[in-house]
Amino acid sequence: MRRPPAPARLLDAALDRLVVPGYSRLGPALRHRWWPADPPAGALAGKRVLVTGATSGIGEAMVDGFLALGAAVHVLGRNGDKTQALVARLRAEHAGADVEAEVCDIGDLDAVRTWAAGFTGRVGALHGLVHNAGALPAERSETAQGHETTLAVHVLGPHLMTSLLADTLVDDASSVVWMSSGGMYGARLRDDDLEFRTGEYSGVRAYARTKRMQVVLAARWADRLAGRRVRVESTHPGWVDTAGVTSSLPGFGKAVGPLLRTAAEGADTTVWLVATRPPSTGEHFWHDRAQRPSTLGWERGQDPAAVTRFLDQVAAATGTPA
Ligand SMILES: NC(=O)c1ccc[n+]([C@@H]2O[C@H](COP(=O)([O-])OP(=O)(O)OC[C@H]3O[C@@H](n4cnc5c(N)ncnc54)[C@H](OP(=O)(O)O)[C@@H]3O)[C@@H](O)[C@H]2O)c1
């Protein structure tokens, strides 16, 4: 991958650290001048990609991006009618598209097990697995298994799904991408209260904590699958104009409104990661087609003992190997 010239690298880093210009629509508007090339036409022909949270916003835009590059796409939603309506639209708009509906509530671990058993029975090889489903609830709620909702949807469900689909990932050809959020910079890894049982619940804090957990978990999956040369990355999309933002953060959506990115701009880096499989290091965290630090400059990195305690709890909650 060609390295951008030094002035571009400096400007790029400044956009990132100043947050507002980098996360807004100005980010891609400027960075596309020096960021790595688009994937070639047909880059994903003969490849199969699964996108969760595909029925809205960034996930839906990703699906369009993957189909445009020739992939067969499995669109996963929790609502059967909405997911089927999306498939009908995609088949009408992308002539000859190979697109399948998958229905599963990611936060329900039993549903993930049942769905994954069916999927692995039908699909032999998966080249892209994108954990995009996300939620920011106003109140604390629990899933069927008694887990706090953001923990289940952002962390436990995707972890279990990755574990159950691992054998379908193709050595030296597949990528797993976790859609985190820039909001995770405001949260450290909590290994003492994953379920947010103590203190006053805040959906925004639960969201930030579990988005941090996604980055930590993705990096450990990257280590685990490195021997098979399956790439695992996490990313954040910037601030994107989606139903999720207008319904969960209406004040923010209004304040930043004209600066929000389009859903396609929010989806860009994920599509690019799966289509190009660039090499990555460290915490494997990306934004606008470049690796970014996963902690702010003045913070220490993750405490390895806290990471181990966190991983042990995720393994115990999902019944997966430590
Ligand atoms: N928009 C932003 O500015 C922004 C910024 C940072 C990170 N993100 C992240 O980007 C991802 C997509 O967000 P978005 O803005 O596109 O939001 P969105 O429009 O609300 O889309 C969220 C998607 O997740 C699905 N989903 C939620 N809970 C689910 C569950 N239990 N099982 C299966 N699917 C579930 C939703 O399904 P339904 O259609 O059925 O509701 C929807 O398809 C999220 O992970 C979000 O955290 C977004």
Side-chain angles (χ1 to χ4, degrees):
M1 201 165 62
R2 191 174 54 83
R3 228 173 156 219
R9 290 205 305 275
L10 271 177
L11 178 58
D12 188 284
L15 289 169
D16 200 48
R17 304 310 180 272
L18 292 171
V19 176
V20 178
Y23 289 25
S24 72
R25 61 192 305 179
L26 294 175
L30 288 169
R31 288 173 171 140
H32 84 271
R33 294 155 204 256
W34 61 75
W35 73 20
D38 290 345
L44 290 172
K47 304 277 171 69
R48 194 164 286 279
V49 179
L50 170 75
V51 179
T52 74
T55 47
S56 176
I58 298 169
E60 191 170 351
M62 268 176 214
V63 173
D64 282 312
F66 287 127
L67 287 173
L69 290 171
V73 184
H74 295 255
V75 299
L76 190 145
R78 59 182 161 174
N79 175 313
D81 291 345
K82 210 170 165 182
T83 311
Q84 289 297 352
L86 171 64
V87 168
R89 171 185 81 73
L90 294 166
R91 287 185 180 147
E93 289 177 11
H94 298 263
D98 184 349
V99 50
E100 296 293 333
E102 307 288 344
V103 180
C104 178
D105 180 337
I106 307 286
D108 180 339
L109 301 183
D110 290 338
V112 172
R113 284 188 193 94
T114 305
W115 168 82
F119 183 81
T120 52
R122 280 180 281 130
V123 172
L126 188 63
H127 303 89
L129 169 57
V130 180
H131 296 302
N132 168 73
L136 196 166
E139 308 286 339
R140 188 178 186 285
S141 58
E142 292 187 353
T143 61
Q145 291 77 31
H147 297 296
E148 188 276 325
T149 298
T150 64
L151 179 73
V153 174
H154 298 157
V155 179
L156 303 180
H159 174 78
L160 178 60
M161 185 183 281
T162 309
S163 200
L164 296 172
L165 301 191
D167 286 348
T168 65
L169 298 170
V170 184
D171 293 4
D172 210 12
S174 293
S175 297
V176 181
V177 182
W178 300 65
M179 178 56 81
S180 178
S181 163
M184 70 94 195
Y185 281 114
R188 64 183 179 85
L189 179 67
R190 293 289 302 256
D191 63 292
D192 56 333
D193 184 19
L194 269 64
E195 303 275 2
F196 214 134
R197 291 192 201 284
T198 57
E200 193 185 340
Y201 184 83
S202 143
V204 171
R205 271 193 288 140
Y207 177 86
R209 285 184 188 188
T210 52
K211 289 288 170 181
R212 161 68 67 191
M213 291 175 196
Q214 289 187 311
V215 175
V216 172
L217 194 51
R220 267 68 247 171
W221 269 107
D223 295 342
R224 189 184 280 189
L225 297 179
R228 293 175 50 193
R229 296 174 307 284
V230 169
R231 299 238 194 266
V232 186
E233 324 287 351
S234 58
T235 179
H236 84 87
W239 296 332
V240 186
D241 190 3
T242 64
V245 165
T246 37
S247 63
S248 304
L249 298 169
F252 174 78
K254 236 183 225 162
V256 187
L259 284 175
L260 291 174
R261 298 169 176 219
T262 64
E265 287 168 338
D268 173 86
T269 295
T270 301
V271 174
W272 175 81
L273 281 168
V274 173
T276 65
R277 301 181 76 246
S280 67
T281 54
E283 292 296 287
H284 307 270
F285 185 56
W286 294 79
H287 175 58
D288 278 352
R289 300 193 190 187
Q291 266 201 265
R292 308 287 170 185
S294 65
T295 49
L296 298 171
W298 59 88
E299 291 175 336
R300 277 181 296 155
Q302 307 297 342
D303 167 13
V307 172
T308 303
R309 287 192 295 271
F310 160 66
L311 294 176
D312 286 347
Q313 291 172 74
V314 170
T318 52
T320 52

